Amino acid sequence: MLITAGPTQEPLDSVRYLANRSSGRLGIELADSAARRGYATTLLLGPTSLAPADGRVMLRRFRTTSDLDELLRSEFPACDVLVMAAAVADYRPAVSPGMAGEKLRRTESGMTLELVATPDLLAGCAARRRPGQRIVGFALEPRSALLESARRKLARKRVDAIVANPLETMDSATVEAWLVTGDGPPMGTPGCIAKSAFADWLLDAIEGLGGAS
Ligand code: CTP
């Protein structure tokens, strides 16, 4: 089982970055639960102070979207199930390589940052999967558009399931979520539950998924 978790950091210069509030907790709990169930588990983890408790989890760290892309290219082919819980940046600063060892200076005139789109790593994995590999993505959405957006992401990214969770999930100890798949109605958690309980709920659901095409 291959799990990604945590935020990405996209450098702006040698001391600053663009990131998000993901703590990685949900993906870390998933990795611990998967290892306890006996799955050979690899966790690709972004910059966070949290870490898995179970020593059987194989841990590899990333910082940028590009680091994670590289890790997925080497780890994805060997896995049976990918759970993509990482909060991956959609844009990164268009920093010139020359800025690598430098620091942007304050000016009186303000500043406009140029951002470039990052690749969709989840869709990339889905496009190169082999038969039998199952892929679960996440969708962090406002409650008003939760299920509708999750269904759109399921189709667009060509994955087997999307965990739809409201924006409040990020950096919180609890989660209320729905698993949206291509067949049947969405399956919801029993209300708002601890992320450790959610990990077991999701693994049960993943074990119940049919084989991928
Ligand atoms: N994801 C990814 N690569 C990206 C952005 C997102 O692999 N560059 C993955 C996330 O890990 C998650 C899923 O795609 O499993 C959905 O992420 P989300 O941020 O909710 O969706 P986006 O693709 O960014 O779409 P939107 O901006 O419309 O919400």
Side-chain angles (χ1 to χ4, degrees):
M1 185 155 308
L2 180 61
I3 297 165
T4 71
T8 51
Q9 290 180 352
E10 301 297 334
L12 208 47
D13 62 16
S14 60
V15 291
R16 304 181 179 98
Y17 53 79
L18 292 185
N20 57 67
R21 277 176 35 210
S22 167
S23 63
R25 187 189 321 239
L26 194 153
I28 291 170
E29 295 279 8
L30 266 175
D32 277 335
S33 293
R36 277 198 300 272
R37 288 185 186 209
Y39 291 103
T41 304
T42 299
L43 175 65
L44 309 182
L45 184 59
T48 168
S49 56
L50 305 178
D54 196 301
R56 290 166 293 188
V57 175
M58 169 88 85
L59 182 62
R60 304 196 63 185
R61 308 293 302 226
F62 63 83
R63 181 171 178 229
T64 63
T65 302
S66 161
D67 296 339
L68 178 57
D69 194 5
E70 214 168 284
L71 285 173
L72 283 168
R73 282 173 193 281
S74 70
E75 299 288 339
F76 177 64
C79 79
D80 296 313
V81 180
L82 168 66
V83 183
M84 191 79 176
V88 185
D90 288 326
Y91 297 93
R92 63 176 173 76
V95 186
S96 70
M99 283 308 294
E102 310 224 347
K103 186 183 158 201
L104 293 168
R105 293 287 167 192
R106 178 206 298 270
T107 64
E108 293 302 313
S109 56
M111 176 184 287
T112 301
L113 273 181
E114 190 189 345
L115 302 178
V116 294
T118 57
D120 187 324
L121 306 186
L122 183 60
C125 287
R128 54 181 191 272
R129 73 164 129 180
R130 52 178 169 73
Q133 277 185 310
R134 274 175 275 165
I135 303 182
V136 179
F138 277 68
L140 193 66
E141 302 286 347
R143 279 183 187 271
S144 56
L146 200 58
L147 295 177
E148 186 194 317
S149 300
R151 282 196 196 95
R152 268 206 307 275
K153 280 178 193 177
L154 182 79
R156 193 176 78 226
K157 296 176 187 248
R158 296 175 181 275
V159 295
D160 300 293
I162 289 279
V163 179
N165 53 154
L167 300 180
E168 311 88 88
T169 301
M170 188 173 269
D171 199 17
S172 152
T174 58
V175 55
E176 181 180 17
W178 287 263
L179 190 73
V180 177
T181 62
D183 42 50
M187 197 171 33
T189 54
C192 202
I193 56 177
K195 285 187 173 172
S196 52
F198 173 77
D200 279 314
W201 180 89
L202 183 59
L203 286 174
D204 287 345
I206 289 172
E207 286 169 0
L209 285 176
S213 53

